[in-house]
Amino acid sequence: MAFAIEAVELRRVALPLVMPFRASFGTESVRDVLLVRARTAEGDGWGECVARSEPLYSSEFVDAAALVVRDHLVPRAWPARAPEEVAPLLRPVKGHPMAKAAVELAVLDAWLRTEGVSLATYLGGERDRVDVGVSVGIAPSLDALLGEVSGYVDAGYRRVKLKIEPGWDVEPVAAVRGRYPDLAMQVDANGSYTLADITSLAALDAFGLLLVEQPFGDDDLDAHAVLARCLSTPVCLDESITSAARAVEAIDRGACTIVSIKAGRVGGYLEAKAVHDACIVRGVPVWCGGMLETGIGRAFNLALAALPGFTLHSDMSPARMFYACDLVEPTFDIRPDGCIAVPARSGNGFPVVPDRVADATIRSWESDARKRTS
Ligand code: NPG
């Protein structure tokens, strides 16, 4: 029987974080997650939307994502008979990459489960494990930061990323570097600097960082190119990279020499693979960014990071680091070699636990293909 979506369910789930996560754009204590479940005759597929409650990381936010998925994306996605058909069907809708990615993911997961294929195999993944790094939020004090970092190093992480912002940059980086002279380290500013801060950013060159991520605003490729010429530390872009075409433009304009890939930010896993492919031919290394996903989204990221161009550590801490109760079981952990195994099971590789999803659900909505009128 041909693959067909029979119904789509949307769930809004609230998951408290074990510890609040602070970045320059805000602090998150409860993850407000939108889940999309595509039902087919053969089984269900799940997608996680990485939009947040407020439009602070990017312009998307969960209320809007739920609405656009329900009223504009699901009605267009019904005819999809294979995952590659989803993005073209959704293309007439402008913007909303995170919402689109969640719909594509649900269809992709259902299709892969039907076909008995793992996401890593489908995408062309070549590794069976990925190097994992941890992202450390802006801490209340240097002591608190050092305590947190030492916990991560003891847990087996081989690379840390420190969140920075003006006023919390050189000092925390110097403190961690002083304690761990050989630890692989990078920093992420989430666009909180301007070219007027170039002196503090240049001071980071002294600490042997792997990269400085997104110091300036999303649209400011020129400022990143100026900084890249002044710094010996490589400049990496995250928020600025919204598609494969944009990645090519950023690289060609000298705005970055490393790219962080997030499927939600670029509208789906197939576009994420296109970003990867564009970077690989230009000799630009990539790594997989994280957005505090539950095990559902994390599993997809793991499969993506199995592609050959992902040569740097990815933000891939196990979801149990963020959530007391993850939505998948079994879930994954860090191995003694500091890596995480890429799932080999079909679909995203980790079974969703429906009871846990039900317990955390604050709102749900269902749409049935048979009742569709347009
Ligand atoms: O391991 O998922 C993780 C956290 C990685 O720092 C991380 N993510 O700016 O990349 C980021 C940041 C983020 C978190 C962005 C939450 C948006 C929301």
Side-chain angles (χ1 to χ4, degrees):
M1 204 172 78
F3 175 85
I5 305 164
E6 293 189 339
V8 176
E9 183 186 315
L10 238 72
R11 276 175 181 267
R12 186 101 173 236
V13 161
L15 286 180
L17 287 166
V18 171
M19 190 174 93
F21 186 82
R22 180 167 168 227
S24 58
F25 57 84
T27 303
E28 197 166 5
S29 308
V30 178
R31 174 85 205 284
D32 181 4
V33 195
L34 179 69
L35 296 176
V36 179
R37 181 188 206 169
R39 293 185 184 277
T40 74
E42 308 289 326
D44 296 351
W46 291 85
E48 173 174 347
C49 179
V50 292
R52 325 311 282 189
S53 307
E54 294 186 274
L56 303 177
Y57 168 82
S58 73
S59 63
E60 286 185 275
F61 59 105
V62 185
D63 283 331
L67 193 138
V68 83
V69 168
R70 192 191 67 190
D71 293 354
H72 303 284
L73 302 182
V74 168
R76 286 178 166 83
W78 287 120
R81 293 289 171 265
E84 312 83 70
E85 294 178 13
V86 176
L89 286 167
L90 303 185
R91 197 159 293 138
V93 175
K94 307 284 186 207
H96 303 283
M98 294 173 180
K100 288 176 175 172
V103 173
E104 184 195 78
L105 263 185
V107 176
L108 183 56
D109 188 32
W111 186 86
L112 291 168
R113 287 179 202 265
T114 307
E115 298 288 313
V117 175
S118 76
L119 180 61
T121 304
Y122 171 78
L123 291 175
E126 291 183 357
R127 315 196 162 81
D128 62 357
R129 73 197 73 166
V130 303
D131 290 321
V132 57
V134 61
S135 175
V136 187
I138 293 169
S141 67
L142 289 177
D143 279 349
L145 174 71
L146 288 171
E148 202 183 328
V149 171
S150 83
Y152 295 136
V153 171
D154 293 347
Y157 289 99
R158 308 261 167 90
R159 177 284 255 163
V160 297
K161 165 170 122 175
L162 302 187
K163 291 296 209 182
I164 59 167
E165 65 182 3
W168 179 263
D169 41 37
V170 176
E171 250 196 306
V173 170
V176 176
R177 181 50 86 222
R179 174 82 60 93
Y180 298 102
D182 301 321
L183 182 64
M185 262 171 82
Q186 61 196 56
V187 293
D188 182 8
N190 290 108
S192 54
Y193 290 81
T194 68
L195 272 177
D197 303 305
I198 202 153
T199 318
S200 340
L201 292 168
L204 294 172
D205 258 349
F207 302 103
L209 301 176
L210 294 170
L211 58 91
V212 48
E213 183 182 351
Q214 197 71 46
F216 307 129
D218 310 8
D219 293 331
D220 215 346
L221 292 186
D222 285 343
H224 286 104
V226 169
L227 183 71
R229 287 196 290 275
C230 302
L231 243 60
S232 53
T233 308
V235 173
C236 166
L237 289 179
D238 169 10
E239 286 92 328
S240 297
I241 307 298
T242 48
S243 64
R246 186 74 167 156
V248 169
E249 185 190 356
I251 295 164
D252 288 352
R253 283 169 63 178
C256 66
T257 51
I258 297 179
V259 167
S260 147
I261 301 187
K262 287 178 181 162
R265 200 189 60 223
V266 301
Y269 279 76
L270 300 181
E271 184 67 16
K273 180 170 162 31
V275 175
H276 162 273
D277 295 350
C279 288
I280 230 177
V281 295
R282 286 163 180 80
V284 168
V286 303
W287 56 283
C288 185
M291 293 184 69
L292 314 180
E293 293 89 351
T294 72
I296 299 177
R298 260 337 202 213
F300 286 102
N301 290 352
L302 262 174
L304 183 67
L307 289 170
F310 286 81
T311 51
L312 299 170
H313 290 77
S314 291
D315 279 346
M316 201 72 77
S317 343
R320 61 157 183 75
M321 187 179 117
F322 307 121
Y323 307 106
C325 189
D326 192 10
L327 301 177
V328 301
E329 191 70 56
T331 184
F332 60 85
D333 227 317
I334 309 189
R335 305 164 8 143
D337 61 0
C339 295
I340 291 183
V342 174
R345 280 185 293 264
S346 62
N348 88 2
F350 293 100
V352 173
V353 185
D355 283 353
R356 294 203 193 150
V357 175
D359 287 350
T361 298
I362 48 175
R363 202 175 305 164
S364 64
W365 164 88
E366 183 137 7
S367 158
D368 185 334
R370 285 160 300 192
K371 293 191 197 137
R372 206 164 62 93
T373 49
S374 59

